[in-house]
Amino acid sequence: SLKKKDVDRQSTSSIPGPDENTVLIKPHIHDVLFGRGGTANNHHGNEVFRILVRKQKDTYLKSEKFQKSQISKAIVSAVKSRDPPGRFLARHPDAARSIPGGCADDSWWYEVKYERAVEKVSQALREKKVARKGGKKRLNVEISDSSNDST
């Protein structure tokens, strides 16, 4: 059965995909939320993530396959190196149907595996620009050159 754990007590390594052993967690400010819509788009961690992607997109598109992989891994590393460490989270598929009225609270998220996070970054780097409504927020975000990090 699914259990909600306190974020401070749960491990951020080797959390499985959504199954009976999935640890459910509440997102914090540095997490990157998978999905579409306002929750993911307006989350601070996703805004920072989009800036990191934007800064690396031109280099990524001009790079060879190995270099592309290193760029994606460097962005994952940049998210995970924040304080507190950012995580790549997906909403549990049972979230909406597990709560009366079908509305999920913020605790129905789980951390995806490292490989899936890298795939998410690579996908974002390949996407074409989409015009957004409203003014742009200015956030100062840097990416370190620790692209050899594989965790």
Side-chain angles (χ1 to χ4, degrees):
S1 69
L2 297 172
K3 298 175 186 167
K4 291 184 183 181
K5 299 275 184 170
D6 183 16
V7 175
D8 295 331
R9 290 184 297 157
Q10 65 98 22
S11 168
T12 58
S13 62
S14 68
I15 295 175
D19 62 21
E20 66 276 357
N21 297 319
T22 298
V23 176
L24 299 175
I25 53 181
K26 184 173 182 176
H28 63 67
I29 193 168
H30 295 150
D31 291 333
V32 175
L33 307 181
F34 283 28
R36 298 175 155 226
T39 301
N41 284 338
N42 298 324
H43 186 71
H44 180 75
N46 288 57
E47 292 173 349
V48 171
F49 172 72
R50 286 191 298 271
I51 291 167
L52 290 169
V53 167
R54 202 173 318 132
K55 286 183 173 184
Q56 296 296 319
K57 186 171 277 203
D58 288 339
T59 303
Y60 180 88
L61 294 173
K62 295 174 186 173
S63 296
E64 298 295 324
K65 186 175 182 177
F66 175 77
Q67 293 158 328
K68 288 180 177 183
S69 175
Q70 295 304 102
I71 292 167
S72 296
K73 290 175 182 179
I75 292 175
V76 171
S77 178
V79 169
K80 291 180 172 283
S81 69
R82 303 198 69 201
D83 185 19
R87 302 163 295 187
F88 289 81
L89 305 179
R91 189 176 296 277
H92 194 280
D94 290 339
R97 66 177 157 219
S98 297
I99 297 173
C103 181
D105 66 16
D106 269 354
S107 300
W108 283 85
W109 296 87
Y110 68 95
E111 186 171 8
V112 302
K113 293 181 180 178
Y114 175 78
E115 294 79 15
R116 187 166 173 211
V118 173
E119 288 172 15
K120 166 83 170 173
V121 173
S122 297
Q123 176 188 4
L125 286 162
R126 290 190 303 267
E127 285 180 352
K128 294 183 179 182
K129 289 183 180 179
V130 177
R132 291 187 51 163
K133 295 179 182 178
K136 293 182 179 178
K137 292 182 183 177
R138 282 282 195 208
L139 298 173
N140 188 13
V141 181
E142 295 298 323
I143 184 167
S144 67
D145 193 18
S146 60
S147 57
N148 294 336
D149 188 9
S150 61
T151 56

